[in-house]
């Protein structure tokens, strides 16, 4: 089970984190914001797309949206969302509960969007592998524990800073 893999991997780490279990499943980013009582930008959304070989797991801030042009420039392919069967194969998780932590497949590559760099030393909340669990972890530690390949810039719509936008 995905949640057990997540907990096992986290217990081996030296950094701090928290696991939150809610009374019901998160149905959307907005629902996660309410249930976790955190701002939208601190929700670390996990999106999974087909790759030429395997799948690309993209983690981005809750206030960011994938920019199709930036995505195609980065990966040289159009975005193709995985069907439920392929999502289960590559992540071990059902839709709405994909945790980027402790992914089972070797053909799954994790990338983090620069929208999360605002929170290198602050908790962001990603799925804990079930529909009603979340892991609070700094973006720095999330990058490490997921085995992230690199930071990428494929999003838009988020606040980069007071003097930018």
């Amino acid at each position: 089970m995905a949640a057990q893999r997540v907990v096992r991997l986290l217990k081996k780490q030296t950094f701090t984190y928290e696991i939150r279990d809610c009374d019901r499943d998160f149905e959307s980013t907005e629902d996660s914001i309410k249930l976790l009582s955190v701002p939208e930008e601190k929700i670390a959304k996990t999106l999974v797309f087909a790759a030429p070989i395997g799948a690309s797991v993209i983690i981005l801030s809750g206030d960011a949206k994938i920019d199709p042009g930036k995505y195609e420039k980065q990966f040289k392919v159009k975005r193709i969302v995985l069907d439920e069967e392929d999502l289960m194969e590559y992540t071990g998780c059902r839709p709405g509960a994909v945790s980027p932590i402790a992914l089972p497949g070797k053909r799954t590559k994790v990338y983090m969007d620069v929208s999360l760099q605002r929170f290198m030393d602050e908790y962001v909340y990603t799925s804990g592998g079930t529909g009603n669990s979340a892991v609070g972890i700094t973006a720095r530690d999330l990058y490490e524990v997921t085995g992230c390949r690199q930071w990428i810039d494929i999003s838009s719509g988020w606040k980069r800073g007071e003097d930018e936008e």
Side-chain angles (χ1 to χ4, degrees):
M1 178 178 219
Q4 293 167 337
R5 284 194 323 270
V6 169
V7 170
R8 266 195 314 271
L9 181 60
L10 287 171
K11 283 184 177 180
K12 294 178 184 176
Q13 307 305 313
T14 58
F15 51 76
T16 60
Y17 61 89
E18 70 174 349
I19 296 176
R20 290 194 193 175
D21 291 311
C22 294
D23 294 336
R24 62 179 178 78
D25 285 2
F26 306 114
E27 295 177 11
S28 64
T29 300
E30 293 76 24
D31 202 36
S32 300
I33 293 164
K34 289 177 190 164
L35 288 170
L36 296 170
S37 298
V38 298
E40 179 181 35
E41 62 270 15
K42 291 196 174 183
I43 300 294
K45 299 187 289 192
T46 303
L47 306 175
V48 186
F49 301 103
I53 299 175
S56 295
V57 175
I58 313 292
I59 311 167
L60 67 159
S61 178
D63 64 344
K65 307 277 186 266
I66 297 279
D67 180 299
K70 287 182 174 183
Y71 182 92
E72 289 177 23
K73 185 177 179 184
Q74 174 74 42
F75 293 105
K76 313 289 189 260
V77 296
K78 291 194 182 288
R79 287 182 304 152
I80 300 171
V81 177
L82 296 178
D83 63 27
E84 189 169 344
E85 183 179 326
D86 286 338
L87 184 68
M88 285 293 295
E89 178 185 339
Y90 289 116
T91 69
C93 301
R94 65 177 176 76
V98 176
S99 177
I101 301 169
L103 293 168
K106 295 196 186 313
R107 297 184 305 156
T108 306
K109 295 175 178 69
V110 178
Y111 302 89
M112 284 178 66
D113 184 74
V114 296
S115 59
L116 285 169
Q117 286 181 333
R118 300 173 283 177
F119 309 111
M120 294 301 283
D121 298 313
E122 298 175 49
Y123 276 4
V124 294
Y125 292 84
T126 190
S127 173
T130 65
N132 70 329
S133 66
V135 175
I137 185 171
T138 67
R140 180 181 324 281
D141 293 336
L142 183 60
Y143 186 95
E144 180 183 324
V145 78
T146 60
C148 186
R149 295 176 71 86
Q150 70 183 71
W151 288 102
I152 57 175
D153 183 1
I154 62 164
S155 68
S156 60
W158 57 280
K159 295 180 184 168
R160 294 179 182 266
E162 292 178 25
D163 57 345
E164 303 174 43
E165 198 151 4

